Amino acid sequence: MQVKGSSLLRLLLDCISLLLCSGLSTSSATHLRGSFDTQDFFKFLIKFGFQKAESHRPRDSFGYIYGNITAYQAFPQPITLAVLDKSTFVDFYSNSSASIFDREMACRRMFQRIQVLAYDVDCNSHGKRDFLRRIPCPHGHLCEDEDAPGNVVPGNQFTYVISEVSQPRFWYVAMVACYRNRSTCQWHAYDTLIAPATFLNNTIHELHYDIHVVNGHPNNSAAHPLTYEFSFDQQNLLEMYLIFLLVYMVLLPMQIYAVRLQKHPVTRLFTLSLLSEFVSLALITAHLIKFAVNGVGLPNMQTSGDILDIFSRTTFMLILLLLAKGWAVTRQQISRTGWIILMSIWVPYCAFHVFLYYWNRTEVDIVSDVDEYQTWPGWIVLILRTTFMLWFLYELRNTMKYEHSSKKLDFLLHLGASSLVWFIYLPIVAIVALQVSPMWRYKLLLGITNSADCLAYCVMTGLLWPNRSGQYLLLTGTKYAGMDELDEFNEAPHIVRERERRQNSLDNGIVEVITSHHSNNNHSIAIRTNATANAVSDEIVNPGNEGSTNLLHNEELEADLLTDLNKNSHIVA
């Protein structure tokens, strides 16, 4: 049974189309455009990591949130835009769930702490924090809460300036259909104003927003294009992907050249895995380049790249398991039962990997700082990966146990050592990442994962290079036919034992000859016979070398010696 590359590729394309059709967006766009209906009550917009401000250029390194929020119809009361740090957003967000039962009570709870901290010209003029804006803003004018027009980016209605002077930190942006009574300073749900009108006139109170969240001053964006649009936890990703893409641009043509020289199922499957990784890097890099330009990027292209990356890694794992079972190394085929067992474990692993990807993008709480390997699908993937590692070692041990070719054993030994590192690094890194700050964790996981995969592909390319792999892979064709079988036959245990038996018999014969000649006091003959026997021994152990010439020479000397003895036999008598 052969691995069908076309069927694997078809399965991959089906997964990509399913995820794209489901509306999954993996991009956290920093240029936000859309609309908000007050009937939805709450809308989370973005979680963004602002960098630490630099002392020598503070305004250029501050974070900025600016944009326009307008509506086509008049609102009886403005609703609220909230920009909060994590300490205040956790309480704000957790109380928003009360809106399912009572939105009026939810509004009071959500702003109970914020109203003490946030500045309000009417209700809290002593507040120190700039958290809230009343929206929508009047067409062509600044928002009502903008009391410092000089800070507003030209062409926009509002601007938040985020100054992190101690360390990078996450901030959260959300809209909520709550308003503050300017007389009583109490918070109320917007539904209490529009509910009767909505049912009678089908009036939709909807506002439209165009918001930009960046690191650095908008007027100086060209000075730092690789960090301007990116959240701090994703800065420098573009440079990292460009470096890996350059490496694969060298590695992939080398492997294509190798697979053309040596058409073999292992090299073909590995080329498919390497090609998938290269295309994945190219798609993600294109998305990041576009993201650096407009803050949106190409989300569908990034989704395709991520799924191709999963396919590449799982296919590489399949190659390792097949080689550990001795496929195309000690045997041409794997039994049907072996294939069924392998696929029954590998296919669920691929499915869980895709499910983990989907879960991480849609189900992980926006407030939590967990990564994908801190969720229950992530733990399942790590457990399955560890199970694959143990299975790989078991199959590799069995294959090496019944293999006697030194070249193949050397290949399997190198394969096992490098593959064990590749298998075990992800569970270890996932555990270590628990102790790393969320601001650095994503870059750490991505950098180590891509580096380990790149190193594994480089090692496998070297192991499967044609002038090396021909020594241990079972190749087809007239050029290599029978070479591995003959080598295996010469190294078989019964051949080695037969050589040892012949050597022992020859040594015993030599001892008998020497003893016999000693009894007749023919020391010179014994010496010559011993030399001849040694030559015979050398010829048996090392055929085809100089031993054959020595053997002929010793036979001639022995014949001359016997002639001389016959001539002088009367002396002996």
Side-chain angles (χ1 to χ4, degrees):
M1 183 181 296
Q2 298 289 338
V3 176
K4 301 294 185 180
S6 58
S7 61
L8 292 176
L9 187 58
R10 191 180 303 111
L11 176 63
L12 170 67
L13 294 175
D14 292 340
C15 292
I16 293 177
S17 60
L18 178 63
L19 289 173
L20 293 179
C21 293
S22 66
L24 174 64
S25 175
T26 63
S27 172
S28 299
T30 58
H31 193 177
L32 310 168
R33 293 188 180 96
S35 60
F36 172 58
D37 187 350
T38 56
Q39 290 295 320
D40 297 332
F41 183 72
F42 180 84
K43 184 170 186 177
F44 175 77
L45 295 180
I46 190 174
K47 171 185 176 182
F48 191 85
F50 288 100
Q51 63 193 9
K52 178 182 176 181
E54 299 180 9
S55 56
H56 63 282
R57 55 180 192 94
R59 290 188 59 84
D60 289 340
S61 58
F62 286 159
Y64 290 84
I65 303 174
Y66 61 95
N68 299 284
I69 303 178
T70 56
Y72 296 120
Q73 70 274 13
F75 275 54
Q77 287 286 347
I79 61 174
T80 306
L81 171 70
V83 176
L84 307 172
D85 58 13
K86 184 176 181 178
S87 61
T88 52
F89 184 78
V90 170
D91 182 67
F92 174 80
Y93 177 71
S94 61
N95 286 315
S96 65
S97 59
S99 62
I100 301 175
F101 307 102
D102 189 347
R103 293 188 175 183
E104 185 76 9
M105 179 174 54
C107 286
R108 290 197 298 268
R109 289 182 177 179
M110 291 172 70
F111 290 93
Q112 184 175 3
R113 181 185 176 191
I114 296 175
Q115 66 184 358
V116 179
L117 301 174
Y119 172 82
D120 189 291
V121 64
D122 297 319
C123 299
N124 190 20
S125 59
H126 300 289
K128 302 297 183 181
R129 310 303 299 271
D130 184 21
F131 283 155
L132 308 177
R133 292 289 187 279
R134 287 179 282 175
I135 54 174
C137 304
H139 282 279
H141 297 82
L142 300 181
C143 295
E144 296 180 10
D145 298 311
E146 283 295 342
D147 55 350
N151 291 334
V152 179
V153 176
N156 296 275
Q157 295 177 307
F158 70 91
T159 297
Y160 286 87
V161 180
I162 311 297
S163 56
E164 294 293 349
V165 296
S166 58
Q167 62 181 2
R169 195 165 49 152
F170 284 114
W171 284 70
Y172 303 80
V173 182
M175 295 179 180
V176 60
C178 296
Y179 72 95
R180 194 172 195 177
N181 188 302
R182 312 311 298 175
S183 300
T184 63
C185 293
Q186 298 297 315
W187 288 93
H188 303 281
Y190 189 76
D191 285 354
T192 59
L193 296 174
I194 65 165
T198 301
F199 287 114
L200 294 175
N201 304 322
N202 294 323
T203 303
I204 299 176
H205 287 76
E206 185 179 63
L207 51 82
H208 303 272
Y209 58 87
D210 183 351
I211 302 174
H212 216 148
V213 186
V214 296
N215 269 308
H217 198 284
N219 294 336
N220 197 31
S221 60
H224 38 87
L226 299 179
T227 59
Y228 177 70
E229 296 283 357
F230 294 92
S231 173
F232 182 81
D233 60 318
Q234 297 184 358
Q235 288 181 352
N236 306 118
L237 289 185
L238 178 56
E239 298 96 311
M240 182 180 68
Y241 273 100
L242 285 172
I243 292 173
F244 283 116
L245 186 62
L246 291 175
V247 175
Y248 282 94
M249 287 178 67
V250 176
L251 193 62
L252 181 61
M254 293 175 57
Q255 180 58 30
I256 293 176
Y257 170 78
V259 78
R260 291 184 62 185
L261 291 181
Q262 179 176 283
K263 294 179 173 59
H264 193 274
V266 172
T267 55
R268 288 176 177 175
L269 191 59
F270 174 66
T271 304
L272 176 63
S273 176
L274 185 60
L275 178 62
S276 301
E277 185 67 17
F278 173 77
V279 176
S280 168
L281 287 172
L283 293 176
I284 297 176
T285 303
H287 159 72
L288 292 175
I289 293 174
K290 187 70 173 179
F291 192 95
V293 174
N294 62 6
V296 178
L298 304 167
N300 291 340
M301 188 172 289
Q302 186 193 19
T303 301
S304 302
D306 290 337
I307 300 301
L308 278 171
D309 181 56
I310 294 174
F311 173 76
S312 175
R313 294 178 186 176
T314 52
T315 305
F316 186 75
M317 182 178 292
L318 178 63
I319 296 171
L320 295 179
L321 288 172
L322 289 172
L323 290 174
K325 293 174 72 69
W327 183 57
V329 178
T330 61
R331 63 186 74 175
Q332 288 284 7
Q333 298 292 338
I334 297 178
S335 65
R336 182 178 296 274
T337 304
W339 275 108
I340 293 175
I341 295 175
L342 182 62
M343 290 295 109
S344 63
I345 299 178
W346 181 74
V347 172
Y349 175 78
C350 297
F352 264 107
H353 229 305
V354 175
F355 178 71
L356 169 63
Y357 175 77
Y358 184 87
W359 180 277
N360 188 53
R361 295 299 185 271
T362 59
E363 301 297 330
V364 174
D365 196 337
I366 55 177
V367 180
S368 64
D369 292 326
V370 301
D371 59 77
E372 56 185 335
Y373 297 111
Q374 296 178 31
T375 61
W376 68 264
W379 287 114
I380 291 178
V381 168
L382 292 178
I383 291 173
L384 289 176
R385 186 183 180 95
T386 306
T387 304
F388 267 95
M389 179 188 68
L390 298 176
W391 187 20
F392 169 82
L393 294 176
Y394 172 78
E395 295 289 353
L396 185 66
R397 178 180 178 274
N398 287 340
T399 302
M400 296 181 69
K401 184 177 179 181
Y402 296 102
E403 178 58 56
H404 303 284
S405 172
S406 59
K407 294 177 181 178
K408 293 182 180 181
L409 286 173
D410 184 64
F411 164 72
L412 294 174
L413 186 63
H414 284 83
L415 176 70
S418 56
S419 300
L420 183 60
V421 175
W422 184 81
F423 272 109
I424 199 62
Y425 85 88
L426 188 58
I428 295 177
V429 171
I431 295 174
V432 172
L434 295 174
Q435 310 301 321
V436 179
S437 169
M439 302 300 298
W440 301 92
R441 186 183 301 157
Y442 181 71
K443 291 184 282 191
L444 173 70
L445 284 173
L446 206 58
I448 294 179
T449 299
N450 285 333
S451 299
D453 291 341
C454 182
L455 180 60
Y457 283 121
C458 292
V459 171
M460 186 63 73
T461 301
L463 290 176
L464 298 180
W465 196 251
N467 62 352
R468 297 187 58 187
S469 61
Q471 302 174 7
Y472 39 75
L473 292 183
L474 297 178
L475 304 172
T476 58
T478 57
K479 182 177 180 180
Y480 301 100
M483 289 179 63
D484 294 280
E485 289 79 0
L486 180 60
D487 180 67
E488 182 177 356
F489 179 77
N490 287 336
E491 299 291 337
H494 66 279
I495 296 297
V496 176
R497 287 194 294 270
E498 179 65 19
R499 290 175 181 171
E500 293 176 353
R501 187 187 65 79
R502 292 180 178 178
Q503 180 67 32
N504 293 334
S505 299
L506 181 59
D507 292 340
N508 293 334
I510 293 171
V511 172
E512 291 177 0
V513 171
I514 294 175
T515 303
S516 174
H517 285 290
H518 269 290
S519 63
N520 294 318
N521 296 323
N522 294 327
H523 301 289
S524 60
I525 297 176
I527 293 172
R528 290 178 180 269
T529 305
N530 189 23
T532 305
N534 288 334
V536 174
S537 175
D538 291 339
E539 173 60 17
I540 293 175
V541 177
N542 302 310
N545 60 11
E546 296 179 357
S548 58
T549 305
N550 295 333
L551 177 60
L552 295 176
H553 181 64
N554 290 333
E555 288 177 353
E556 295 175 356
L557 292 176
E558 185 175 354
D560 296 337
L561 177 60
L562 291 174
T563 303
D564 294 336
L565 289 175
N566 290 332
K567 292 180 179 178
N568 301 310
S569 59
H570 63 283
I571 299 176
V572 177

